[in-house]
Amino acid sequence: MKVTEIDKMIKAIDGIDFNSSKDIVKTQILEVKNMLVYERQCAIMEEKENKTSLLTAIKTILSGAKLMDRESLSTVQHSENGKSFICDGYVAISWDNDIPELKAFEQTPAERSIKLNSIMPKSCSQAIETVISDDDKLILNNLAKYVKLHKKETATPIIKIFNKYYDAAYLKRVFDVIGTADMQLIYYLKQGESYPNFIYKGNLTAAILPCRILNEEDRQKIESQTLEFIKLLKF
Protein backbone atom coordinates (compact mmCIF):
# COMPACT_ATOMS: atom_id res chain seq x y z
CA MET A 1 0.00 0.00 0.00
CA LYS A 2 1.31 3.48 -0.91
CA VAL A 3 2.01 6.15 1.72
CA THR A 4 -0.61 8.49 0.21
CA GLU A 5 -3.32 5.83 0.53
CA ILE A 6 -2.36 5.13 4.15
CA ASP A 7 -2.40 8.88 4.90
CA LYS A 8 -6.00 9.11 3.64
CA MET A 9 -7.07 6.26 5.93
CA ILE A 10 -5.32 7.82 8.95
CA LYS A 11 -6.93 11.18 8.19
CA ALA A 12 -10.34 9.51 8.04
CA ILE A 13 -9.80 7.92 11.46
CA ASP A 14 -8.65 11.26 12.92
CA GLY A 15 -11.93 12.77 11.74
CA ILE A 16 -14.09 10.32 13.72
CA ASP A 17 -16.06 11.76 16.64
CA PHE A 18 -15.34 9.38 19.52
CA ASN A 19 -17.67 11.13 21.99
CA SER A 20 -20.58 8.96 20.96
CA SER A 21 -18.52 5.77 20.61
CA LYS A 22 -18.21 3.00 23.16
CA ASP A 23 -14.79 2.57 24.73
CA ILE A 24 -14.27 -0.84 23.11
CA VAL A 25 -15.04 0.60 19.65
CA LYS A 26 -12.68 3.52 20.26
CA THR A 27 -9.90 1.13 21.35
CA GLN A 28 -10.36 -1.06 18.28
CA ILE A 29 -10.29 1.94 15.92
CA LEU A 30 -7.14 3.34 17.57
CA GLU A 31 -5.48 -0.07 17.22
CA VAL A 32 -6.23 0.06 13.48
CA LYS A 33 -4.70 3.55 13.36
CA ASN A 34 -1.56 2.34 15.15
CA MET A 35 -1.28 -0.50 12.65
CA LEU A 36 -1.61 1.97 9.76
CA VAL A 37 1.06 4.27 11.25
CA TYR A 38 3.39 1.26 11.45
CA GLU A 39 2.65 0.24 7.86
CA ARG A 40 3.16 3.86 6.76
CA GLN A 41 6.68 3.97 8.23
CA CYS A 42 7.47 0.59 6.65
CA ALA A 43 6.34 1.93 3.28
CA ILE A 44 8.44 5.11 3.68
CA MET A 45 11.56 3.11 4.52
CA GLU A 46 10.99 0.66 1.68
CA GLU A 47 10.57 3.55 -0.77
CA LYS A 48 13.97 4.84 0.42
CA GLU A 49 15.33 1.29 0.12
CA ASN A 50 16.11 1.21 3.85
CA LYS A 51 16.07 -2.09 5.72
CA THR A 52 13.13 -2.66 8.07
CA SER A 53 14.88 -5.22 10.31
CA LEU A 54 15.35 -2.70 13.17
CA LEU A 55 11.73 -1.65 12.83
CA THR A 56 10.63 -5.28 13.20
CA ALA A 57 12.97 -5.81 16.19
CA ILE A 58 11.58 -2.78 18.06
CA LYS A 59 8.03 -3.95 17.33
CA THR A 60 8.87 -7.35 18.86
CA ILE A 61 9.97 -5.72 22.15
CA LEU A 62 6.91 -3.46 22.33
CA SER A 63 4.51 -6.26 21.38
CA GLY A 64 6.10 -8.40 24.09
CA ALA A 65 5.24 -5.76 26.69
CA LYS A 66 1.60 -5.96 25.63
CA LEU A 67 1.64 -9.77 25.84
CA MET A 68 2.95 -9.44 29.41
CA ASP A 69 -0.06 -7.23 30.25
CA ARG A 70 2.16 -4.15 30.41
CA GLU A 71 0.05 -2.06 28.06
CA SER A 72 1.57 1.23 29.28
CA LEU A 73 5.02 -0.02 28.20
CA SER A 74 3.98 -1.02 24.68
CA THR A 75 4.67 2.48 23.33
CA VAL A 76 7.70 4.65 22.64
CA GLN A 77 8.42 6.60 25.82
CA HIS A 78 10.06 10.03 26.13
CA SER A 79 12.35 11.43 28.81
CA GLU A 80 12.24 14.97 30.13
CA ASN A 81 15.54 15.77 28.38
CA GLY A 82 14.18 14.72 24.99
CA LYS A 83 15.43 11.15 24.62
CA SER A 84 13.19 8.51 23.07
CA PHE A 85 13.25 5.04 24.61
CA ILE A 86 11.49 1.70 24.88
CA CYS A 87 11.12 -0.36 28.03
CA ASP A 88 9.20 -3.59 28.69
CA GLY A 89 10.25 -4.05 32.32
CA TYR A 90 13.25 -6.28 31.54
CA VAL A 91 15.14 -4.08 29.09
CA ALA A 92 15.30 -0.35 28.48
CA ILE A 93 16.86 1.05 25.31
CA SER A 94 17.23 4.79 24.75
CA TRP A 95 18.52 6.81 21.82
CA ASP A 96 20.32 10.15 22.07
CA ASN A 97 18.93 11.13 18.68
CA ASP A 98 15.61 10.18 17.13
CA ILE A 99 15.70 7.33 14.65
CA PRO A 100 13.01 7.03 11.93
CA GLU A 101 11.93 3.56 13.10
CA LEU A 102 10.47 4.98 16.33
CA LYS A 103 7.93 7.05 14.37
CA ALA A 104 6.11 3.82 13.48
CA PHE A 105 4.78 3.34 17.01
CA GLU A 106 2.38 4.96 19.42
CA GLN A 107 4.10 7.67 21.46
CA THR A 108 3.76 8.42 25.18
CA PRO A 109 4.64 12.04 26.09
CA ALA A 110 7.34 12.72 28.69
CA GLU A 111 4.88 13.71 31.42
CA ARG A 112 3.23 10.27 31.22
CA SER A 113 6.35 8.19 30.50
CA ILE A 114 8.29 6.24 33.11
CA LYS A 115 11.36 8.04 34.44
CA LEU A 116 14.43 7.04 32.41
CA ASN A 117 16.89 8.31 35.03
CA SER A 118 15.49 5.81 37.53
CA ILE A 119 16.46 2.94 35.19
CA MET A 120 19.92 3.78 33.91
CA PRO A 121 22.86 6.07 34.75
CA LYS A 122 23.24 9.32 32.85
CA SER A 123 26.62 8.28 31.43
CA CYS A 124 29.09 5.40 31.41
CA SER A 125 31.38 7.43 33.69
CA GLN A 126 29.02 6.53 36.54
CA ALA A 127 29.35 2.79 35.87
CA ILE A 128 32.10 0.16 36.19
CA GLU A 129 33.61 -0.90 32.86
CA THR A 130 34.21 -4.56 31.96
CA VAL A 131 35.78 -5.94 28.77
CA ILE A 132 33.56 -8.52 27.07
CA SER A 133 35.37 -11.85 26.83
CA ASP A 134 35.93 -13.62 23.50
CA ASP A 135 33.66 -16.46 24.68
CA ASP A 136 30.84 -14.01 25.44
CA LYS A 137 31.25 -12.41 21.99
CA LEU A 138 31.01 -15.87 20.47
CA ILE A 139 27.81 -16.59 22.42
CA LEU A 140 26.35 -13.19 21.54
CA ASN A 141 26.68 -13.85 17.82
CA ASN A 142 25.16 -17.34 18.08
CA LEU A 143 22.19 -16.92 20.44
CA ALA A 144 19.77 -18.25 17.81
CA LYS A 145 21.77 -21.50 17.62
CA TYR A 146 21.61 -21.93 21.41
CA VAL A 147 17.84 -21.38 21.40
CA LYS A 148 17.40 -23.92 18.60
CA LEU A 149 19.63 -26.40 20.41
CA HIS A 150 17.58 -26.30 23.63
CA LYS A 151 14.08 -25.37 22.47
CA LYS A 152 12.84 -29.00 22.78
CA GLU A 153 13.88 -29.08 26.44
CA THR A 154 12.44 -25.76 27.57
CA ALA A 155 10.57 -22.70 26.32
CA THR A 156 13.04 -20.52 28.26
CA PRO A 157 16.61 -21.59 27.41
CA ILE A 158 18.88 -19.86 29.95
CA ILE A 159 22.51 -19.15 29.15
CA LYS A 160 25.37 -17.66 31.19
CA ILE A 161 26.85 -14.57 29.56
CA PHE A 162 28.42 -11.38 30.97
CA ASN A 163 28.84 -13.39 34.19
CA LYS A 164 25.05 -13.48 34.63
CA TYR A 165 22.10 -15.64 33.56
CA TYR A 166 19.83 -14.63 30.68
CA ASP A 167 16.94 -16.06 28.72
CA ALA A 168 18.77 -16.66 25.43
CA ALA A 169 15.65 -16.19 23.26
CA TYR A 170 14.83 -12.89 24.94
CA LEU A 171 18.44 -11.71 24.78
CA LYS A 172 18.47 -12.38 21.05
CA ARG A 173 15.40 -10.15 20.61
CA VAL A 174 17.16 -7.42 22.59
CA PHE A 175 20.33 -7.61 20.50
CA ASP A 176 18.28 -7.59 17.31
CA VAL A 177 17.61 -3.97 18.35
CA ILE A 178 21.03 -3.13 19.81
CA GLY A 179 23.17 -5.01 17.27
CA THR A 180 26.23 -7.11 18.09
CA ALA A 181 28.81 -5.33 15.93
CA ASP A 182 31.64 -3.54 17.75
CA MET A 183 30.59 -4.91 21.13
CA GLN A 184 33.68 -4.53 23.33
CA LEU A 185 32.56 -3.25 26.74
CA ILE A 186 29.71 -3.82 29.15
CA TYR A 187 29.00 -1.90 32.35
CA TYR A 188 27.35 -2.37 35.72
CA LEU A 189 26.60 -0.18 38.72
CA LYS A 190 26.55 -2.93 41.34
CA GLN A 191 28.03 -6.40 41.43
CA GLY A 192 25.61 -9.28 41.77
CA GLU A 193 23.61 -11.51 39.47
CA SER A 194 20.30 -9.70 39.98
CA TYR A 195 21.57 -6.26 38.90
CA PRO A 196 21.29 -5.10 35.28
CA ASN A 197 24.10 -4.75 32.79
CA PHE A 198 24.43 -1.55 30.77
CA ILE A 199 25.54 -1.06 27.18
CA TYR A 200 26.72 2.20 25.60
CA LYS A 201 26.94 1.87 21.83
CA GLY A 202 26.92 4.81 19.42
CA ASN A 203 23.87 6.95 20.19
CA LEU A 204 22.23 4.09 22.09
CA THR A 205 22.15 3.15 25.78
CA ALA A 206 20.61 -0.07 27.11
CA ALA A 207 19.92 -1.64 30.49
CA ILE A 208 19.29 -5.40 30.48
CA LEU A 209 17.94 -7.19 33.53
CA PRO A 210 19.20 -10.77 34.04
CA CYS A 211 17.31 -13.81 35.33
CA ARG A 212 17.57 -14.85 38.97
CA ILE A 213 18.54 -18.52 39.26
CA LEU A 214 18.34 -19.47 42.94
CA ASN A 215 18.69 -23.25 42.70
CA GLU A 216 22.38 -24.29 42.73
CA GLU A 217 21.68 -27.43 40.67
CA ASP A 218 20.02 -25.30 37.97
CA ARG A 219 22.93 -22.89 37.98
CA GLN A 220 25.45 -25.68 37.49
CA LYS A 221 23.38 -27.16 34.68
CA ILE A 222 23.21 -23.81 32.86
CA GLU A 223 26.94 -23.22 33.26
CA SER A 224 27.67 -26.70 31.95
CA GLN A 225 25.37 -26.18 28.93
CA THR A 226 27.02 -22.84 28.23
CA LEU A 227 30.53 -24.34 28.30
CA GLU A 228 29.43 -27.20 26.03
CA PHE A 229 27.92 -24.67 23.61
CA ILE A 230 31.15 -22.66 23.50
CA LYS A 231 33.12 -25.85 22.75
CA LEU A 232 30.65 -26.71 20.00
CA LEU A 233 31.08 -23.28 18.39
CA LYS A 234 34.88 -23.48 18.56
CA PHE A 235 35.17 -26.98 17.20
Side-chain angles (χ1 to χ4, degrees), residues 16-29:
I16 295 173
D17 179 10
F18 287 113
N19 292 326
S20 59
S21 303
K22 293 181 179 179
D23 286 342
I24 190 171
V25 174
K26 180 179 177 180
T27 300
Q28 289 172 341
I29 292 173

Side-chain angles (χ1 to χ4, degrees), residues 3-208:
V3 174
T4 52
E5 295 173 345
I6 296 173
D7 283 341
K8 288 178 183 178
M9 296 171 74
I10 293 174
K11 187 176 181 180
I13 290 175
D14 287 339
I16 295 173
D17 179 10
F18 287 113
N19 292 326
S20 59
S21 303
K22 293 181 179 179
D23 286 342
I24 190 171
V25 174
K26 180 179 177 180
T27 300
Q28 289 172 341
I29 292 173
L30 290 177
E31 284 179 355
V32 171
K33 180 184 175 180
N34 290 337
M35 181 186 70
L36 289 170
V37 170
Y38 177 81
E39 293 300 329
R40 181 182 188 276
Q41 193 61 28
C42 284
I44 289 172
M45 296 187 72
E46 286 171 358
E47 284 178 4
K48 294 179 179 179
E49 297 185 352
N50 292 335
K51 293 181 179 179
T52 58
S53 54
L54 178 56
L55 189 67
T56 304
I58 293 172
K59 183 182 179 182
T60 300
I61 297 290
L62 295 178
S63 298
K66 188 175 288 188
L67 290 172
M68 291 185 287
D69 292 326
R70 295 173 175 175
E71 190 76 27
S72 63
L73 299 180
S74 64
T75 64
V76 174
Q77 312 267 317
H78 295 273
S79 69
E80 293 176 350
N81 62 355
K83 288 186 178 182
S84 301
F85 66 99
I86 60 174
C87 176
D88 67 357
Y90 295 105
V91 66
I93 304 171
S94 72
W95 288 267
D96 295 332
N97 305 309
D98 279 343
I99 57 172
E101 285 83 357
L102 296 178
K103 296 177 182 178
F105 306 97
E106 185 180 351
Q107 310 286 312
T108 296
E111 62 270 19
R112 291 196 287 110
S113 293
I114 59 175
K115 302 302 178 186
L116 183 62
N117 287 343
S118 67
I119 303 170
M120 57 179 69
K122 292 180 181 179
S123 71
C124 59
S125 62
Q126 296 178 298
I128 300 166
E129 177 183 295
T130 306
V131 176
I132 298 174
S133 69
D134 290 340
D135 284 349
D136 279 355
K137 289 178 185 177
L138 194 60
I139 292 170
L140 201 56
N141 287 301
N142 291 279
L143 287 168
K145 291 181 181 178
Y146 186 84
V147 174
K148 186 177 181 180
L149 194 65
H150 294 283
K151 67 178 181 179
K152 290 183 180 180
E153 303 167 23
T154 175
T156 311
I158 308 296
I159 195 165
K160 189 168 186 181
I161 183 172
F162 311 139
N163 207 31
K164 296 180 182 180
Y165 302 96
Y166 283 97
D167 174 348
Y170 181 79
L171 200 61
K172 183 192 177 299
R173 293 195 291 271
V174 170
F175 276 94
D176 283 345
V177 176
I178 297 172
T180 59
D182 303 319
M183 280 291 299
Q184 303 294 333
L185 301 171
I186 198 156
Y187 300 80
Y188 62 91
L189 288 177
K190 296 180 181 179
Q191 290 185 340
E193 293 169 359
S194 60
Y195 294 106
N197 280 321
F198 300 93
I199 292 169
Y200 297 86
K201 190 169 180 282
N203 75 328
L204 174 153
T205 305
I208 314 172

Side-chain angles (χ1 to χ4, degrees), residues 210-228:
C211 301
R212 294 186 68 187
I213 309 297
L214 301 177
N215 185 287
E216 183 60 31
E217 188 177 331
D218 290 339
R219 292 157 66 97
Q220 289 179 2
K221 181 180 178 182
I222 293 164
E223 290 174 19
S224 176
Q225 287 178 341
T226 303
L227 289 173
E228 287 298 320

